[in-house]
Amino acid sequence: AQSVAQPEDQVNVAEGNPLTVKCTYSVSGNPYLFWYVQYPNRGLQFLLKYITGDNLVKGSYGFEAEFNKSQTSFHLKKPSALVSDSALYFCAVRLNSGGYQKVTFGTGTKLQVIP
Amino acid sequence: DAGITQSPRYKITETGRQVTLMCHQTWSHSYMFWYRQDLGHGLRLIYYSAAADITDKGEVPDGYVVSRSKTENFPLTLESATRSQTSVYFCASSDRAGGRKDTQYFGPGTRLTVL
């Protein structure tokens, strides 16, 4: 069975500092990996995804994520945090295989950027 | 910009009543999904649909019914609501399964309270 772990329920970072939101995954094969962001009372918005190729994926709003196969991780990063980045972040994984494959979401990490 | 909408946004009902949550997307995406979001569980898949008239169970289908007579609509019905079905429900859609178009786009959610 596939799974996603987001080990931190909450991450606090000062505005202007770099941020990292951690994600590790387990899947029986090659993964597709996703990051989504959820603002209060809104649906999830797609940020970025890894399918294959370059391990560093760039996404929306200046976010990027690094795929590390040996550590089975896909941490989300941003060089300089903004107060407006405060939100709930979800990592997700699915098997890189043909046809429909179930997507498994992590439990989410709340990012708080302190002015 | 096309969209995915859900209605109602908020619903309060009583135990035992039937409730239908609506989802409509304008992209003509093949795949549609229903998730529920609960604290500590992240998002859990209730049902999904690969095309009109094709639906299948997700992780937590018990107590829910879906239909998809048209590509753009994917209603979710709680046949006899229970308090454990109090949750936030998200509908999502994606163009394809696999490849670069395999990204789910989410609606704004429906907050359902069962008294």
Side-chain angles (χ1 to χ4, degrees):
Chain A
Q2 63 193 34
S3 64
V4 174
Q6 294 183 244
E8 300 154 317
D9 290 337
Q10 181 160 335
V11 170
N12 297 321
V13 63
E15 186 177 23
N17 281 4
L19 70 87
T20 299
V21 182
K22 294 179 180 177
C23 171
T24 58
Y25 68 90
S26 173
V27 69
S28 56
N30 292 321
Y32 285 179
L33 292 155
F34 304 83
W35 275 103
Y36 286 84
V37 60
Q38 185 181 28
Y39 298 100
N41 299 313
R42 303 285 296 275
L44 277 70
Q45 295 179 33
F46 170 74
L47 273 180
L48 51 82
K49 69 179 176 183
Y50 170 82
I51 298 177
T52 187
D54 195 347
N55 289 344
L56 184 64
V57 180
K58 294 189 184 294
S60 306
Y61 313 120
F63 284 94
E64 59 187 26
E66 186 166 11
F67 171 61
N68 187 317
K69 188 172 184 177
S70 63
Q71 296 185 4
T72 61
S73 67
F74 190 56
H75 301 331
L76 181 71
K77 299 182 180 183
K78 188 174 182 182
S80 178
L82 300 173
V83 172
S84 57
D85 292 330
S86 298
L88 188 58
Y89 290 81
F90 289 93
C91 182
V93 67
R94 57 152 278 176
L95 183 63
N96 182 348
S97 182
Y100 170 76
Q101 298 292 336
K102 175 178 173 284
V103 176
T104 298
F105 288 84
T107 53
T109 298
K110 183 178 180 181
L111 175 66
Q112 190 76 34
V113 181
I114 303 161
Chain B
D1 200 17
I4 180 165
T5 57
Q6 294 182 236
S7 62
R9 294 293 313 278
Y10 302 90
K11 176 74 177 178
I12 299 174
T13 191
E14 294 177 339
T15 302
R17 291 194 179 266
Q18 183 180 81
V19 177
T20 296
L21 309 184
M22 303 302 293
C23 178
H24 176 78
Q25 53 104 355
T26 60
W27 282 295
S28 297
H29 281 172
S30 297
Y31 283 82
M32 295 188 75
F33 308 85
W34 274 107
Y35 292 90
R36 58 178 291 172
Q37 183 180 25
D38 304 288
L39 198 62
H41 290 279
L43 274 77
R44 291 181 290 176
L45 182 66
I46 304 171
Y47 271 95
Y48 73 96
S49 168
D53 296 322
I54 301 175
T55 62
D56 207 348
K57 296 178 180 179
E59 295 176 70
V60 288
D62 293 344
Y64 303 95
V65 174
V66 293
S67 62
R68 194 166 176 208
S69 57
K70 293 184 178 181
T71 300
E72 61 266 31
N73 296 325
F74 191 38
L76 176 73
T77 298
L78 288 66
E79 294 186 297
S80 178
T82 64
R83 289 190 180 136
S84 64
Q85 293 177 310
T86 292
S87 186
V88 181
Y89 291 85
F90 288 100
C91 179
S93 71
S94 70
D95 191 10
R96 300 280 171 81
R100 300 196 177 276
K101 293 190 176 183
D102 179 13
T103 296
Q104 293 186 24
Y105 296 92
F106 285 78
T110 295
R111 185 175 295 274
L112 176 68
T113 302
V114 183
L115 301 176

